[in-house]
């Protein structure tokens, strides 16, 4: 099987930064570390309320990255203008408002098919690989193919929630839906990605789906980075404190 690309989402580095209103931790520095560690791309979600990633972060990421930037955004005129200005390698359209989402949390493509088709066209013409974030629902996948988007990203959140809460039969049923959705999307000529909520415990069955080309993972990785990075960070602070008081 082809190697599966890993897109690392650095949004929650910015969440921690913004909790203090400081310049650190810097999501761009995190993105460069992710690249050096083997990330195949960097994903950042510029939300309408700017609760984590800022416009300046997107500008700095666009200048600094050596790997592709995948800009997640709502399908609004403001976001379209930003995407056309920065021309990221990829744009992933995600729902932010309740009326834009399906019950499973992906974009309700069926309800806004024509509007999405009109939204996707200029982004495609500008050279962006446009992706729609959709639930593992065949009708949504088929509608996504009709919009002209080149990619669908299948929402893995329902599967991950069921798996982490020990609802095993439900997790298996969600996995089966993801497999069917990936197969259908691939048959329609779409490139197939997946993401949301993936962890060490839930990634393997998703990574084994042959039609998938890319996973986008953020929250768990940033949390794990805190856990795995806390000990060396404390040791370095200890060293500097001790060095300052050395005779
Ligand atoms: N893919 C999409 C489209 C997303 O919106 C997100 C969350 O921003 C992710 C993947 C990553 O999800 P998580 O942070 O739960 O790993």
């Amino acid at each position: 099987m082809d190697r599966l690309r890993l897109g690392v989402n650095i949004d929650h580095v910015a969440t921690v930064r913004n909790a203090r209103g400081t310049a650190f931790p810097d999501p761009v520095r995190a993105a460069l570390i992710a690249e050096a560690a083997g990330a195949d791309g960097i994903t950042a979600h510029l939300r309408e309320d700017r609760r984590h990633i800022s416009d300046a972060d997107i500008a700095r990421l666009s200048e600094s990255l050596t790997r592709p930037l995948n800009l997640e955004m709502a399908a609004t005129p403001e976001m379209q203008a930003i995407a056309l200005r920065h021309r990221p390698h990829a744009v992933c359209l995600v729902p932010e408002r309740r009326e834009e989402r399906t019950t499973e949390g992906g974009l309700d493509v069926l309800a806004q098919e024509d509007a999405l088709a009109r939204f996707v066209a200029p982004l495609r013409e500008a050279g962006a690989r446009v992706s729609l974030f959709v639930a593992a629902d065949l009708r949504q996948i088929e509608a996504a193919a009709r919009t002209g988007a080149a990619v669908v990203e299948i929402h893995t959140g329902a599967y991950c929630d069921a798996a982490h809460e020990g609802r095993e039969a439900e997790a298996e049923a969600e996995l089966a839906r993801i497999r069917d959705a990936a197969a259908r999307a691939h048959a329609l000529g779409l490139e197939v990605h997946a993401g949301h909520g993936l962890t060490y415990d839930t990634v393997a069955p998703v990574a084994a789906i042959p039609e998938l080309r890319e996973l986008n993972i953020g929250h768990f990785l940033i949390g794990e980075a805190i856990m795995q990075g806390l000990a060396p960070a404390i040791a370095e602070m200890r060293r500097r404190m001790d060095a300052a008081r050395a005779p």
Side-chain angles (χ1 to χ4, degrees):
M1 248 189 269
D2 288 346
R3 185 172 173 278
L4 188 56
R5 292 195 302 266
L6 170 61
V8 174
N9 181 319
I10 43 82
D11 291 349
H12 295 307
V13 179
T15 303
V16 176
R17 175 194 62 190
N18 293 5
R20 265 294 180 89
T22 49
F24 62 87
D26 178 9
V28 179
R29 182 175 166 210
L32 296 176
I33 292 170
E35 286 189 335
D40 299 294
I42 299 297
T43 295
H45 183 178
L46 184 66
R47 294 188 67 99
E48 288 183 86
D49 64 7
R50 310 301 200 268
R51 73 173 69 148
H52 37 60
I53 293 293
S54 68
D55 298 67
D57 293 331
I58 295 297
R60 289 169 59 232
L61 287 166
S62 302
E63 285 163 14
S64 317
L65 297 182
T66 56
R67 300 274 165 85
L69 173 64
N70 174 31
L71 173 62
E72 288 180 359
M73 60 184 220
T76 65
E78 181 202 13
M79 291 297 155
Q80 190 178 58
I82 291 170
L84 291 173
R85 187 157 70 246
H86 291 296
R87 294 176 175 257
H89 168 84
V91 170
C92 180
L93 301 178
V94 299
E96 288 191 17
R97 283 188 294 273
R98 191 126 287 289
E99 65 272 18
E100 296 169 331
R101 20 184 119 200
T102 62
T103 42
E104 286 81 25
L107 269 178
D108 194 351
V109 187
L110 275 171
Q112 42 182 337
E113 197 177 310
D114 293 343
L116 282 171
R118 284 193 299 276
F119 194 88
V120 166
L123 295 168
R124 275 187 71 147
E125 280 157 25
R129 186 198 68 183
V130 183
S131 151
L132 303 186
F133 187 43
V134 292
D137 174 324
L138 298 184
R139 293 189 323 145
Q140 296 290 347
I141 301 274
E142 284 156 10
R146 294 192 293 267
T147 65
V151 182
V152 281
E153 178 158 331
I154 300 174
H155 200 311
T156 50
Y159 152 66
C160 291
D161 287 347
H164 286 296
E165 289 162 19
R167 291 179 273 122
E168 280 169 30
E170 215 178 303
E172 271 311 314
E174 290 296 341
L175 259 181
R177 296 179 67 205
I178 295 168
R179 289 191 192 102
D180 290 348
R184 183 79 189 117
H186 181 74
L188 289 166
L190 294 161
E191 183 170 309
V192 196
H193 302 175
H196 206 281
L198 291 167
T199 65
Y200 292 151
D201 289 336
T202 51
V203 75
V206 176
I209 298 172
E211 292 86 1
L212 289 180
R213 303 286 298 136
E214 179 176 309
L215 299 183
N216 283 297
I217 308 181
H219 182 250
F220 175 79
L221 282 177
I222 302 307
E224 237 356 67
I226 293 171
M227 296 307 164
Q228 295 191 32
L230 194 53
I234 291 170
E236 176 65 11
M237 188 58 82
R238 182 76 263 164
R239 190 188 66 70
R240 290 175 188 233
M241 286 162 57
D242 292 344
R245 294 169 77 94

